[in-house]
Coordinates of all heavy atoms in Angstrom, one line a residue:
L968 N 24.9 27.6 -30.3 CA 23.7 28.1 -29.6 C 23.1 29.3 -30.5 O 23.8 30.1 -31.0 CB 24.0 28.6 -28.2 CG 24.6 27.7 -27.3 CD1 24.7 28.3 -25.9 CD2 23.9 26.3 -27.2
S971 N 22.4 33.4 -26.1 CA 23.3 33.2 -25.0 C 22.7 32.3 -23.9 O 21.5 32.2 -23.8 CB 23.7 34.5 -24.4 OG 22.6 35.0 -23.5
P972 N 23.5 31.6 -23.1 CA 23.0 30.8 -22.0 C 22.1 31.6 -21.1 O 21.2 31.0 -20.5 CB 24.3 30.3 -21.3 CG 25.3 30.3 -22.4 CD 25.0 31.5 -23.2
A973 N 22.3 32.9 -20.9 CA 21.5 33.7 -20.1 C 20.1 33.8 -20.5 O 19.2 34.1 -19.8 CB 22.1 35.1 -19.9
E974 N 19.8 33.5 -21.8 CA 18.5 33.5 -22.4 C 17.7 32.2 -22.1 O 16.5 32.1 -22.4 CB 18.5 33.8 -23.8 CG 19.1 35.2 -24.2 CD 19.2 35.4 -25.7 OE1 18.2 35.4 -26.4 OE2 20.4 35.4 -26.2
A975 N 18.5 31.2 -21.7 CA 17.8 29.9 -21.4 C 17.1 29.9 -20.1 O 17.3 30.8 -19.2 CB 18.9 28.8 -21.5
A976 N 16.3 28.9 -19.9 CA 15.6 28.7 -18.6 C 16.5 27.8 -17.7 O 16.6 28.0 -16.5 CB 14.3 28.0 -18.8
I977 N 17.2 26.8 -18.3 CA 18.0 25.9 -17.5 C 19.3 25.6 -18.4 O 19.2 25.4 -19.6 CB 17.3 24.6 -17.2 CG1 15.9 24.8 -16.6 CG2 18.2 23.7 -16.2 CD1 15.1 23.6 -16.3
F978 N 20.4 25.5 -17.7 CA 21.6 25.1 -18.4 C 22.0 23.7 -18.1 O 22.0 23.3 -16.9 CB 22.8 26.0 -18.0 CG 24.1 25.6 -18.8 CD1 24.3 26.2 -20.0 CD2 25.0 24.7 -18.2 CE1 25.5 25.9 -20.7 CE2 26.1 24.4 -18.9 CZ 26.4 24.9 -20.2
Y979 N 22.2 22.9 -19.2 CA 22.7 21.5 -19.0 C 23.9 21.4 -19.9 O 24.2 22.2 -20.8 CB 21.7 20.5 -19.5 CG 20.3 20.5 -18.8 CD1 19.2 20.9 -19.5 CD2 20.2 20.3 -17.5 CE1 18.0 21.0 -18.9 CE2 19.0 20.3 -16.8 CZ 17.8 20.7 -17.6 OH 16.6 20.8 -17.0
E980 N 24.7 20.3 -19.7 CA 25.7 19.9 -20.7 C 25.8 18.4 -20.8 O 25.3 17.7 -19.9 CB 27.0 20.5 -20.3 CG 27.6 20.0 -19.0 CD 29.0 20.7 -18.8 OE1 29.3 21.8 -19.3 OE2 29.8 20.1 -18.0
P990 N 27.7 22.3 -24.3 CA 26.6 23.0 -23.7 C 25.2 22.7 -24.3 O 25.1 22.6 -25.5 CB 26.9 24.5 -23.9 CG 27.8 24.5 -25.1 CD 28.6 23.2 -25.0
C991 N 24.2 22.4 -23.4 CA 22.9 22.1 -23.9 C 21.8 22.8 -23.1 O 21.0 22.2 -22.5 CB 22.7 20.6 -23.8 SG 23.8 19.5 -24.7
P992 N 21.9 24.2 -23.2 CA 20.8 24.9 -22.5 C 19.4 24.7 -23.1 O 19.3 24.3 -24.3 CB 21.3 26.4 -22.6 CG 22.1 26.4 -23.8 CD 22.8 25.0 -23.9
R993 N 18.4 24.9 -22.3 CA 17.0 24.7 -22.8 C 16.2 26.0 -22.4 O 16.3 26.4 -21.3 CB 16.3 23.5 -22.2 CG 17.0 22.2 -22.7 CD 16.3 21.0 -22.3 NE 17.0 19.8 -22.6 CZ 16.6 18.5 -22.4 NH1 15.4 18.3 -21.9 NH2 17.4 17.5 -22.8
G994 N 15.5 26.5 -23.4 CA 14.7 27.7 -23.2 C 13.3 27.2 -22.9 O 12.9 26.0 -22.9
A995 N 12.4 28.2 -22.7 CA 11.0 27.9 -22.4 C 10.3 27.1 -23.5 O 9.6 26.1 -23.2 CB 10.2 29.2 -22.1
D997 N 11.8 25.1 -25.7 CA 12.3 23.7 -25.7 C 11.7 22.9 -24.6 O 11.3 21.7 -24.9 CB 13.8 23.8 -25.4 CG 14.6 24.7 -26.4 OD1 14.4 24.6 -27.6 OD2 15.3 25.6 -25.9
I998 N 11.5 23.4 -23.4 CA 11.0 22.6 -22.3 C 9.5 22.3 -22.5 O 9.1 21.2 -22.3 CB 11.2 23.4 -21.0 CG1 12.7 23.5 -20.7 CG2 10.5 22.7 -19.8 CD1 13.0 24.5 -19.6
N1002 N 8.7 18.4 -23.2 CA 8.0 17.8 -22.0 C 6.6 17.4 -22.3 O 6.1 16.4 -21.8 CB 8.1 18.7 -20.8 CG 9.4 18.8 -20.1 OD1 10.4 18.3 -20.7 ND2 9.5 19.3 -19.0
S1030 N 20.9 14.3 -11.8 CA 20.2 15.6 -11.9 C 21.2 16.7 -12.2 O 20.9 17.6 -13.0 CB 19.4 15.9 -10.7 OG 18.4 15.0 -10.5
E1031 N 22.4 16.7 -11.6 CA 23.3 17.9 -11.8 C 23.8 18.0 -13.2 O 24.3 17.0 -13.8 CB 24.5 17.7 -10.9 CG 24.2 17.6 -9.4 CD 23.9 16.3 -8.9 OE1 23.7 15.4 -9.7 OE2 23.8 16.1 -7.7
L1032 N 23.5 19.2 -13.8 CA 23.9 19.4 -15.2 C 23.3 18.5 -16.2 O 23.7 18.4 -17.3 CB 25.4 19.4 -15.4 CG 26.2 20.6 -14.7 CD1 27.7 20.4 -14.9 CD2 25.8 21.9 -15.4
Y1033 N 22.2 17.8 -15.8 CA 21.6 16.8 -16.7 C 20.1 16.9 -16.6 O 19.6 17.2 -15.5 CB 22.1 15.4 -16.2 CG 21.9 14.3 -17.3 CD1 22.7 14.3 -18.4 CD2 20.9 13.4 -17.2 CE1 22.5 13.3 -19.4 CE2 20.7 12.4 -18.1 CZ 21.5 12.4 -19.2 OH 21.3 11.4 -20.2
A1034 N 19.4 16.7 -17.6 CA 18.0 17.0 -17.7 C 17.1 16.0 -17.0 O 15.9 16.2 -16.8 CB 17.6 17.2 -19.2
G1036 N 16.5 14.7 -14.0 CA 15.7 15.0 -12.8 C 14.7 16.1 -13.1 O 13.5 16.0 -12.7
D1037 N 15.0 17.1 -13.9 CA 14.1 18.2 -14.1 C 12.9 17.8 -15.0 O 11.8 18.2 -14.7 CB 14.8 19.4 -14.8 CG 15.8 20.1 -13.8 OD1 15.6 20.0 -12.6 OD2 16.7 20.7 -14.3
V1038 N 13.2 17.1 -16.0 CA 12.2 16.6 -17.0 C 11.1 15.8 -16.2 O 9.9 16.1 -16.3 CB 12.8 15.8 -18.1 CG1 11.6 15.1 -18.9 CG2 13.5 16.8 -19.1
A1041 N 9.1 17.7 -13.6 CA 8.0 18.5 -14.1 C 6.9 17.6 -14.6 O 5.7 18.0 -14.4 CB 8.6 19.3 -15.3
Q1138 N 20.7 14.7 -24.4 CA 20.9 16.1 -23.9 C 20.8 17.1 -25.1 O 20.1 18.1 -25.0 CB 22.2 16.3 -23.3 CG 22.4 15.5 -22.0 CD 21.7 16.2 -20.8 OE1 20.5 16.0 -20.6 NE2 22.4 17.0 -20.1
I1189 N 16.8 27.5 -28.0 CA 18.2 27.9 -27.7 C 19.2 27.2 -28.5 O 20.2 27.7 -28.9 CB 18.5 27.8 -26.2 CG1 17.7 28.8 -25.4 CG2 20.0 28.0 -26.0 CD1 18.0 30.3 -25.6

Side-chain angles (χ1 to χ4, degrees):
L968 305 186
S971 75
E974 297 174 67
I977 310 176
F978 181 86
Y979 305 114
E980 64 180 22
C991 298
R993 297 187 186 185
D997 306 310
I998 294 167
N1002 285 12
S1030 294
E1031 298 87 351
L1032 289 176
Y1033 198 73
D1037 290 335
V1038 168
Q1138 293 283 84
I1189 292 293

